[in-house]
Amino acid sequence: MAQQPVAVVCVGMAGSGKTTFMQRINNYLHINKKKPYVLNLDPAVLNVPFEANIDIRDSINYKEVMKQYNLGPNGGILTSLNLFATKIDQIIGLLEKRAQPDPSSKAVPPQHFLVDTPGQIEVFVWSASGSILLESLASSFPTVIAYIIDTPRTHSCSTFMSNMLYACSILYKTKLPMILVFNKTDVQDADFAKDWMTDFEKFQEALQEEESKGVFGGEGHGGGSGYMSSLLNSMSLMLEEFYSHLEMVGVSSMTGEGIDEFFDAVERKADEFNRDYKPELERRIKERQQEKEGKKHEDLAKVMEDMKVGEKPKPKHKEQVGQRQDDDEDEEDEEDAREADEYADVRPDDDEALQRRYAEELRRQGLQTNESDRSFARYVAQSGPSAPR
Ligand SMILES: Nc1nc2c(ncn2[C@@H]2O[C@H](COP(=O)(O)OP(=O)(O)OP(=O)(O)O)[C@@H](O)[C@H]2O)c(=O)[nH]1
């Protein structure tokens, strides 16, 4: 069986070097004749130094979203992601198509989907649309999170620990295999991080050293308190188990150092995804479908009960109208029937109805701008809300 492409989703704090890293791995794959398929999910980025095959900016105009909905920068990014998430079926369909060999051309299907995300991590990782995008991706392809860390800025014990806790929260939220990418190793070697992650005592030593030198907190903040260092000590003990589930690599997006190791780690994590994560993900999806199915039956039962189906057959609405005298009652009945009809249409699949509304809103506002991937834009513009997967 042909190997499925691996989706590598890059997340990282603003300034960690995420975009430079994306550019570097994209370049690396091109040089090694493994042309990737690239997705940009950052609606607010002005320039991307690589060519994105699917670019959120092609279908969503972030500035227009901010203006129309009267939002600030983060709200604008979030709403843009929400609007984009309504197209996830088409995007996954497109990726699945790209993953298949094309008999009409000699082009080899990509082995990697590279995904760039907004620098505001929380907007992506903690939003419903971020979850939808990640989960949809993971239900079709092995998906790995690459968490980019600014190594020189993580050299002190407290910033290192803050970063690890953040990584921990992303891991628990996404439930996907993760690689910690210590970037900018041309400026600061990442060996210290490897030591701290594998040897608790080394972290303690560093902590004591920082305290004795009065540079606790790093970057000349100095001071700190006994309370902080004992907290960090306990944290590092607690995180031992968490570290054992992670891959860490040191890279320099500037020089290209460590990129080979990064792709080795991606391969290992993709295997882990297929072995451990996929069954769990499938179980969760099945559970949710069953829940949804149960709710649908419950709703249907309620509607039936409201309509008193199962007692004696109710006369048809028109006949009722003919039999009744009171005009007001007639109107009320008509209204009820209309509502019941609408209800029957909408309830069976709330998501689809929501998608339809989003899609209509998008079309109404003409939020269709640049065209870096014409095929995708055309696909999105032409397809209805229930386009084939
Ligand atoms: N020395 C060095 N600098 C780097 C490296 N990677 C990125 N940088 C620099 O770090 C700064 C931020 O890099 P970006 O790639 O824009 O970071 P980002 O995380 O995408 O930032 P946002 O776009 O704000 O989310 C830039 O000045 C880069 O030149 C690296 O490996 N080494």
Side-chain angles (χ1 to χ4, degrees):
M1 196 181 84
Q3 231 193 351
Q4 271 194 310
V6 184
V8 180
V9 182
C10 295
V11 295
M13 293 188 195
S16 58
K18 194 164 44 64
T19 307
T20 318
F21 176 72
M22 275 286 293
Q23 185 185 12
R24 174 60 68 183
I25 55 176
N26 185 21
N27 195 23
Y28 173 92
L29 290 172
H30 272 93
I31 289 171
N32 287 285
K33 309 247 176 312
K34 294 179 183 170
K35 197 175 163 203
Y37 199 74
V38 183
L39 289 85
N40 171 41
L41 298 186
D42 188 350
V45 69
L46 286 179
N47 299 306
V48 275
F50 46 82
E51 200 183 325
N53 300 89
I54 293 180
D55 196 326
I56 186 171
R57 296 173 305 163
D58 286 345
S59 35
I60 315 284
N61 184 337
Y62 160 73
K63 288 212 168 132
E64 196 57 31
V65 169
M66 271 171 66
K67 213 164 31 178
Q68 295 272 343
Y69 294 89
N70 201 14
L71 297 165
N74 284 349
I77 293 176
L78 183 64
T79 307
S80 300
L81 281 172
N82 285 343
L83 290 167
F84 193 69
T86 64
K87 297 286 174 197
I88 190 65
D89 282 355
Q90 283 103 309
I91 294 156
I92 298 293
L94 202 64
L95 295 182
E96 276 170 351
K97 217 165 108 190
R98 288 281 183 276
Q100 300 299 324
D102 181 359
S104 65
S105 85
K106 281 187 189 158
V108 184
Q111 290 176 25
H112 299 89
F113 295 133
L114 305 183
V115 186
D116 196 8
T117 60
Q120 290 77 350
I121 304 186
E122 66 286 1
V123 176
F124 181 72
V125 174
W126 292 93
S127 65
S129 44
S131 303
I132 292 170
L133 291 166
L134 279 179
E135 223 170 79
S136 308
L137 205 56
S139 54
S140 300
F141 307 100
T143 304
V144 173
I145 304 280
Y147 179 52
I148 322 296
I149 298 168
D150 187 334
T151 314
R153 286 191 167 269
T154 314
H155 193 41
S156 86
C157 293
S158 57
T159 47
F160 174 81
M161 188 52 70
S162 308
N163 240 313
M164 292 303 107
L165 288 173
Y166 210 103
C168 187
S169 75
I170 295 173
L171 185 81
Y172 279 102
K173 179 71 178 70
T174 60
K175 301 181 185 71
L176 290 169
M178 181 186 270
I179 303 171
L180 296 182
V181 181
F182 284 87
N183 190 27
K184 310 191 186 181
T185 51
D186 55 302
V187 179
Q188 166 71 58
D189 203 298
D191 286 348
F192 75 92
K194 194 174 256 170
D195 287 348
W196 290 355
M197 286 171 72
T198 46
D199 189 344
F200 164 71
E201 282 176 4
K202 287 209 170 131
F203 183 77
Q204 275 196 324
E205 274 167 28
L207 202 56
Q208 274 162 11
E209 198 182 317
E210 277 189 19
E211 273 190 304
S212 63
K213 283 185 184 164
V215 291
F216 188 75
E219 296 181 356
H221 292 299
S225 68
Y227 152 74
M228 262 305 281
S229 71
S230 95
L231 179 68
L232 288 182
N233 252 331
S234 327
M235 291 284 195
S236 63
L237 264 177
M238 182 198 83
L239 289 180
E240 250 186 337
E241 168 70 15
F242 163 67
Y243 294 149
S244 66
H245 293 283
L246 297 178
E247 288 270 354
M248 78 78 86
V249 285
V251 305
S252 165
S253 306
M254 235 23 152
T255 64
E257 186 196 336
I259 300 295
D260 277 321
E261 287 80 2
F262 171 73
F263 278 103
D264 290 344
V266 167
E267 238 166 74
R268 284 192 295 274
K269 283 289 162 193
D271 289 343
E272 190 183 313
F273 176 93
N274 287 326
R275 194 182 57 238
D276 303 336
Y277 285 73
K278 206 170 164 193
E280 169 64 15
L281 188 73
E282 281 166 357
R283 189 191 61 76
R284 283 207 312 268
I285 291 173
K286 208 168 149 193
E287 220 174 70
R288 221 173 305 146
Q289 268 167 355
Q290 278 169 352
E291 245 173 55
K292 212 170 162 185
E293 224 23 61
K295 177 128 187 12
K296 221 188 266 184
H297 285 301
E298 236 175 65
D299 285 349
L300 196 65
K302 261 191 224 156
V303 172
M304 294 298 226
E305 204 186 299
D306 287 351
M307 293 167 75
K308 301 259 188 296
V309 173
E311 286 182 1
K312 54 182 172 186
K314 220 179 174 182
K316 284 214 167 99
H317 188 65
K318 272 195 179 158
E319 288 164 354
Q320 274 181 356
V321 172
Q323 283 162 7
R324 292 202 183 167
Q325 305 289 315
D326 192 332
D327 278 356
D328 285 350
E329 274 187 28
D330 289 349
E331 268 174 29
E332 252 175 49
D333 280 355
E334 266 181 43
E335 185 65 22
D336 285 351
R338 238 192 336 266
E339 271 176 15
D341 278 348
E342 278 171 20
Y343 188 65
D345 182 40
V346 171
R347 291 301 295 182
D349 201 334
D350 279 345
D351 290 349
E352 209 176 296
L354 185 67
Q355 283 200 15
R356 201 164 50 225
R357 282 204 295 277
Y358 267 132
E360 275 162 12
E361 182 67 8
L362 251 182
R363 261 197 298 275
R364 199 173 63 75
Q365 299 196 24
L367 295 178
Q368 189 98 10
T369 52
N370 325 327
E371 295 216 351
S372 83
D373 184 336
R374 285 171 192 283
S375 61
F376 171 68
R378 225 177 301 125
Y379 191 81
V380 166
Q382 285 168 2
S383 56
S386 51
R389 274 162 196 263

